[in-house]
């Protein structure tokens, strides 16, 4: 049998080598030049014993499996090297050790139906902070009817208190010689405007303190207009009794002093001092401007210029009640809120007409992108989307379809420490929940943003594999591939041998 012949040949080869040991330089180098006793002792622990080539057999199947083994090893080697070179992001939760006493809050909010004159930014927190109408680092822009910024209203300065005139006579005493300011209703309002080319009307509420102080002044002003025979109709409207009429005229605050020319309102409304002299001077200036226009209109012969100037004269400045409020606040790291409220030093707001529909253009905590460090910007660009919840409310519209309601927003702020390549930066992610809150008819709604800082923080680290892990994986690839394919080769060899024997 073939197996018997192979074993006999192997035994003869071993006997020949034992009698005549090889003296080649190669074997001498391998054995290290030791004596026979030293070589025997060291060879006893040899894990990699050599099999003579005469006892091995090269086959086509073995060559194919060797090539397959090299291919698999190469693919796994390059895959493992790529995974070693590539880093990943890991996160962990830890107690927040941020020692900053305050945190910066950045906001840019558009109020679509509230005039900039009535927007107030207030701040409150659990430590007792209660700041009304914050003015520092806050800007306002008046919007047009399309919601675009039109007029810069400047910094949120303290509103100047208008001057009120005190009178010795009461309103009843002033009415003894007759009522000079005409009481208007929905039935006679339009006819009054048609009758008077120029009209000045006080839209008021009886419960309004400022309206009560204005009543004697307005009556004296009407009497002054009559005495000087000004071609002006002076009237007043009780917005409690004539609520529908005041809604049609979009009265947002009391008192509203509005000038009408040829039956149409001329905006913006009068907001200067409320004295007889100031009101009379305002009316005279309006009449002078109108008289100058009429004189020019008579002299101008060019019909095109006349038509163009008439259009300009009739066009009053649009006063759409929209406002964009932007800026930043420094708030304590405790639960609190900031809210946008409709209020004024010189008016009582009409709660029935206060609409706080708003759009959050931007809201974030910490340093904004445009002043962040270069390292911070680089880190933020490398972060995946799930780790960039720094301003999730941006571009969101919060629409209220009815009066006496407003959105309240509840924000949970989480400190996020970004540990990238040895540099640690701190940012703030947050989660937000919003809901509509309903108010009593006498209360003015407010858009409230309540915030609370979590005691826990998220640590984001860039993680890579250790060099010894990489070497271990390479050894596993080489050994595992060689062994696995060797077993497959042995099985296939025996199967083919058995097939040939049959």
């Amino acid at each position: 049998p073939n197996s018997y012949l192979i074993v006999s040949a192997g035994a003869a080869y071993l006997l020949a080598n034992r009698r005549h040991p090889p003296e080649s330089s190669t074997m001498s180098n391998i054995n290290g030049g030791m004596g026979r006793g030293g070589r025997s002792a060291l060879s006893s622990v040899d894990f990699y014993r050599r099999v003579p080539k005469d006892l091995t057999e090269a086959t086509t199947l073995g060559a194919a499996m060797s090539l397959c083994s090299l291919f698999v090893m190469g693919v796994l080697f390059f895959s493992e090297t790529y995974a070693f070179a590539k880093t990943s992001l890991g996160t962990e939760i830890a107690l927040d050790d941020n020692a900053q006493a305050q945190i910066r809050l950045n906001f840019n909010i558009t109020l679509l139906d509230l005039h900039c004159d009535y927007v107030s930014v207030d701040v409150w927190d659990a430590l007792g902070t209660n700041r009304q109408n914050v003015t520092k680092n806050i800007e306002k822009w008046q919007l047009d009817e399309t919601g675009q910024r039109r007029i810069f209203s400047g910094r949120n300065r303290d509103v100047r208190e208008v001057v009120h005139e005190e009178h010795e006579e009461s309103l009843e005493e002033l009415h003894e010689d007759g009522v000079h300011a005409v009481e208007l209703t929905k039935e006679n309002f339009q006819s009054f405007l048609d009758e008077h080319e120029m009209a000045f009307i006080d839209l008021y509420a009886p419960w309004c303190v400022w309206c009560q102080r204005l009543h004697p002044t307005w009556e004296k002003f009407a009497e002054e207009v009559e005495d000087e025979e000004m071609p002006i109709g002076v009237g007043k409207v009780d917005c409690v009794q004539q609520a529908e009429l005041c809604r049609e005229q979009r009265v947002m605050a009391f008192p509203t002093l509005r000038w009408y020319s040829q039956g149409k309102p001329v905006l913006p409304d009068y907001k200067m001092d409320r004295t007889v002299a100031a009101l009379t001077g305002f009316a005279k200036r309006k009449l002078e401007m109108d008289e100058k226009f009429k004189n020019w209109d008579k002299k101008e012969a060019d019909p095109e210029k006349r038509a163009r100037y008439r259009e300009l004269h009739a066009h009053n400045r649009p006063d759409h009640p929209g406002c964009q409020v932007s800026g930043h606040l420094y708030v304590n790291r405790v639960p609190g809120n900031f809210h946008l409220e409709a209020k004024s030093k010189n008016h009582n707001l009409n709660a029935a007409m206060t609409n706080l529909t708003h759009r959050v253009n931007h809201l974030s905590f910490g340093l904004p992108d445009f002043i962040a460090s270069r390292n911070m910007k680089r880190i933020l660009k490398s972060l995946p989307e799930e780790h960039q919840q720094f301003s999730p409310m941006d571009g969101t519209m919060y629409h209220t379809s009815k009066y006496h309601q407003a959105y309240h927003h509840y924000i949970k702020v989480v400190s996020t420490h970004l540990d990238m390549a040895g540099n640690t930066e701190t940012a703030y992610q947050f989660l937000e929940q919003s809901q509509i809150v309903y108010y009593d008819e006498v209360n003015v709604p407010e858009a409230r943003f309540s915030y609370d800082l979590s005691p826990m923080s998220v640590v984001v680290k860039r993680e890579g594999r250790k060099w010894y892990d990489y070497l271990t994986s390479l050894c596993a690839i080489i050994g595992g591939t060689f062994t696995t394919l060797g077993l497959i080769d042995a099985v296939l060899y025996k199967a083919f041998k058995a097939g040939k024997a049959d």
Side-chain angles (χ1 to χ4, degrees), residues 295-309:
N295 293 334
W296 180 91
D297 190 56
K298 292 177 181 179
K299 296 177 182 179
E300 180 59 51
D302 189 349
E304 293 184 1
K305 288 185 177 180
R306 184 184 301 173
R308 185 168 61 253
Y309 194 77

Side-chain angles (χ1 to χ4, degrees), residues 347-385:
H347 300 82
N348 285 112
L349 271 295
N350 185 3
M353 290 295 293
T354 303
N355 180 9
L356 286 176
T357 294
H358 59 277
R359 179 176 64 245
V360 178
N361 303 310
H362 177 73
L363 181 67
S364 65
F365 293 83
L367 291 178
D369 293 342
F370 61 88
I371 62 174
S373 64
R374 182 179 301 178
N375 183 55
M376 184 66 170
K377 294 178 180 179
R378 180 179 57 81
I379 291 175
L380 293 178
K381 287 182 179 180
S382 64
L383 287 178
E385 188 68 26

Side-chain angles (χ1 to χ4, degrees), residues 33 100 214 248 281 338 358 383 408 438 447 465 472 474-475 480 495:
Q100 293 180 350
L214 179 63
E248 292 175 357
F338 82 97
H358 59 277
L383 287 178
H408 284 199
Y438 296 89
R465 296 178 60 184
T472 303
L474 290 183
C475 293

Side-chain angles (χ1 to χ4, degrees), residues 453-473:
L453 279 82
S454 172
M456 310 302 292
S457 64
V458 176
V459 181
V460 181
K461 292 183 177 180
R462 189 170 293 282
E463 299 177 343
R465 296 178 60 184
K466 304 297 183 182
W467 64 268
Y468 50 80
D469 183 25
Y470 172 65
L471 291 180
T472 303
S473 299

Side-chain angles (χ1 to χ4, degrees), residues 189 193 196-201 203 249 258-266:
F189 184 80
L193 296 180
H196 298 86
E197 184 180 1
M198 299 287 182
F200 204 8
I201 298 177
L203 299 110
Q249 298 298 315
R258 185 166 294 172
W259 184 271
Y260 289 82
S261 176
Q262 298 179 353
K264 296 181 180 180
V266 179

Side-chain angles (χ1 to χ4, degrees), residues 381-424:
K381 287 182 179 180
S382 64
L383 287 178
E385 188 68 26
E386 59 268 20
H387 294 304
Q388 294 198 29
Q389 299 299 315
F390 304 114
S391 50
M393 298 178 68
D394 286 10
T396 306
M397 174 72 76
Y398 297 94
H399 179 263
T400 53
S401 57
K402 299 179 180 178
Y403 295 115
H404 310 297
Q405 63 183 22
Y407 268 96
H408 284 199
H409 310 279
Y410 302 90
I411 300 171
K412 176 66 73 172
V413 184
V414 181
S415 296
T416 305
H417 304 291
L418 307 172
D419 187 2
M420 305 289 182
N423 297 320
T424 302

